Amino acid sequence: MNKFYRGWWVLLGLSLMYIGSNGFGIYTLPLFYPSISQELALTKGVITQAPSNMYLVLAFCSPFCGWLLDRFAPRIILGVAASIMSVLFVSLAFINTFEQLKWYYVFFGVALSLGGVIPSVYLISRWFDKHRGIALGLFLNASSFGATILSKPAGYFLASGGWRTAVTYVGIPVVGIIILAQLLLKNRPEEEEFQGEVMPQKNSTKDFTLSEALRQPTFYTLLIATGALWFCINGILFNKDLFLSDLQLTPSQTASFASSFFFCSIIGKIVFGLVSDKIRKNDAMLGSIVVLGLGILLLKTCLTHVSWLTMAAIVLGVGYSGAFTMIQLLIAEHYAGKSYGLILGVFTMIDTLAGSIGIRTIGQLRASTGSYNTSFEVMLALCIIAVGLVVFSRKKESLIS
């Protein structure tokens, strides 16, 4: 019988790397912010400047990372990222000033561009065709899984020994996981072993260079659509807790919303990954945007009817994670080829900047109007625009095929 496909081992390696880079580096470290702020005499607003710098660095490094992927072995680039992250995670406990913390996040932004979503999606697209959707869905869940398993020991060591002890005792095992991940990676499959992953019937698509892609209307429709979605995704993620505080919920209601939201976000990545392997990627993308829009509408309804909160958490969790997954898959579907890395880097740069604008704009609208109602209306309008743009690209694709 057919032997076990090595691509799944590569996926495991990438997922372990993602547990370290995002599960620990992005989602677990904020647990230490209150303690770091207190020790360094910083306000909440000041300390968040450090990770915001990371997103700017990540955005502008993304095209360069994509360019590197088109010219060098992905395993080498991921190895460089693993080395930088390992040094950063070990050195984090020795930070004594806010300037050092800001520089930490600058270098982490560089490492994240070299060892985060871009090279991982690039390598997954090399190893998976028939099962690309579910492979990407499983990979993206690694950050949620990592944050779940690392937050408890981080909280324990934080309470018992302080943030420096917690960073050391949790960070060193994470470094071990990142190093282990490198042993599972391989640049590309052998032609014979990849045959089982090739789709039996697949429309021929043009192998675009970046300059060719820039001359196609579809490139701009997808770029605007994904940027609009990232505006909504980050706007929701970084403002949902403030929105919940406006509703004056009990602690149990807030915890219920959070658990429902994050559990359903895991489901959404897997479900839309599976669905995208069965139907056209554009159709699956449309479905994810509709669910995301419905979730935003339900959240807006909660301003006057809090009883809808659990339903809003469920639908929003599925929609946000589904859209996040489908953005990566749709870009790969259109542009996987000789310049895929560079094109993916350009998309990531614009999407990251759009997400950053979303975080600030949604917060500023709340501050100026005293409510999130206008913010929800803006995000609903962007979802409608994204639907129209994806439908346009779908029609163009149908004409070409």
Side-chain angles (χ1 to χ4, degrees):
M1 300 297 291
N2 293 334
K3 64 179 182 179
F4 186 76
Y5 181 51
R6 178 164 178 171
W8 297 109
W9 287 113
V10 174
L11 180 65
L12 176 60
L14 293 171
S15 298
L16 290 174
M17 184 86 174
Y18 203 51
I19 286 174
S21 66
N22 287 48
F24 178 72
I26 291 182
Y27 297 124
T28 302
L29 287 189
L31 292 174
F32 309 134
Y33 285 176
S35 298
I36 296 174
S37 296
Q38 185 176 7
E39 183 177 316
L40 302 183
L42 304 173
T43 65
K44 291 181 181 179
V46 171
I47 195 171
T48 55
Q49 291 177 11
S52 68
N53 290 341
M54 174 194 71
Y55 284 106
L56 287 175
V57 172
L58 175 61
F60 289 107
C61 283
S62 293
F64 177 65
C65 174
W67 179 84
L68 290 175
L69 285 167
D70 290 329
R71 287 159 178 78
F72 300 100
R75 190 178 181 186
I76 294 176
I77 296 171
L78 285 162
V80 171
S83 300
I84 299 173
M85 286 182 194
S86 297
V87 172
L88 290 173
F89 292 163
V90 170
S91 65
L92 182 59
F94 300 97
I95 285 177
N96 293 304
T97 67
F98 183 51
E99 284 300 316
Q100 291 174 347
L101 184 64
K102 288 195 291 187
W103 278 109
Y104 167 89
Y105 272 108
V106 167
F107 286 114
F108 186 62
V110 174
L112 204 59
S113 69
L114 298 173
V117 170
I118 296 177
S120 298
V121 172
Y122 185 92
L123 207 52
I124 288 171
S125 297
R126 273 192 178 180
W127 278 90
F128 292 95
D129 187 17
K130 187 190 301 184
H131 299 101
R132 184 179 293 169
I134 184 59
L136 185 62
L138 291 170
F139 162 75
L140 292 174
N141 268 324
S143 61
S144 301
F145 177 74
T148 301
I149 62 173
L150 293 174
S151 59
K152 288 189 176 181
Y156 171 79
F157 289 120
L158 180 63
S160 61
W163 73 270
R164 296 183 191 276
T165 300
V167 164
T168 301
Y169 286 172
V170 178
I172 290 178
V174 168
V175 169
I177 291 173
I178 290 174
I179 293 173
L180 174 63
Q182 308 310 305
L183 303 177
L184 299 173
L185 302 181
K186 187 180 177 184
N187 290 316
R188 61 173 70 249
E190 302 293 336
E191 186 174 347
E192 311 84 61
E193 64 179 340
F194 189 60
Q195 290 305 311
E197 259 300 307
V198 176
M199 293 288 282
Q201 291 182 338
K202 191 169 183 178
N203 294 330
S204 58
T205 55
K206 183 176 174 60
D207 189 1
F208 288 100
T209 63
L210 178 60
S211 61
E212 291 169 337
L214 289 171
R215 293 194 290 270
Q216 301 296 319
T218 300
F219 178 86
Y220 298 99
T221 57
L222 291 178
L223 194 64
I224 297 171
T226 59
L229 292 175
W230 268 109
F231 180 103
C232 297
I233 289 171
N234 274 11
I236 290 169
L237 280 179
F238 286 86
N239 286 277
K240 61 180 176 57
D241 293 322
L242 297 172
F243 166 72
L244 295 176
S245 67
D246 280 356
L247 299 181
Q248 298 181 334
L249 304 176
T250 65
S252 62
Q253 287 176 311
T254 302
S256 176
F257 179 93
S259 61
S260 299
F261 176 82
F262 284 112
F263 176 76
C264 290
S265 71
I266 293 173
I267 300 300
K269 291 173 185 175
I270 295 176
V271 167
F272 275 98
L274 279 170
V275 169
S276 70
D277 286 333
K278 306 298 181 183
I279 66 175
R280 294 171 62 179
K281 299 291 189 294
N282 277 326
D283 294 338
M285 178 65 144
L286 285 172
S288 71
I289 300 172
V290 170
V291 177
L292 175 62
L294 180 59
I296 294 171
L297 182 61
L298 287 169
L299 210 57
K300 183 176 184 294
T301 304
C302 291
L303 288 168
T304 53
H305 299 84
V306 181
S307 58
W308 285 96
L309 194 63
T310 300
M311 180 60 70
I314 292 171
V315 177
L316 194 64
V318 173
Y320 125 79
S321 60
F324 176 60
T325 303
M326 289 312 308
I327 286 171
Q328 310 301 328
L329 289 170
L330 198 62
I331 297 170
E333 181 76 4
H334 280 81
Y335 298 111
K338 57 191 176 185
S339 295
Y340 174 51
L342 182 56
I343 293 173
L344 179 61
V346 171
F347 268 90
T348 303
M349 178 183 70
I350 299 300
D351 290 348
T352 303
L353 291 174
S356 179
I357 293 171
I359 296 170
R360 297 189 179 189
T361 302
I362 298 305
Q364 288 172 351
L365 285 173
R366 163 63 182 84
S368 61
T369 64
S371 167
Y372 278 100
N373 187 62
T374 304
S375 300
F376 292 139
E377 291 174 350
V378 169
M379 288 188 284
L380 283 170
L382 289 174
C383 285
I384 294 171
I385 291 171
V387 166
L389 292 171
V390 173
V391 168
F392 173 80
S393 69
R394 183 179 182 277
K395 288 182 178 179
K396 293 288 290 185
E397 183 182 283
S398 299
L399 291 173
I400 293 173
S401 60

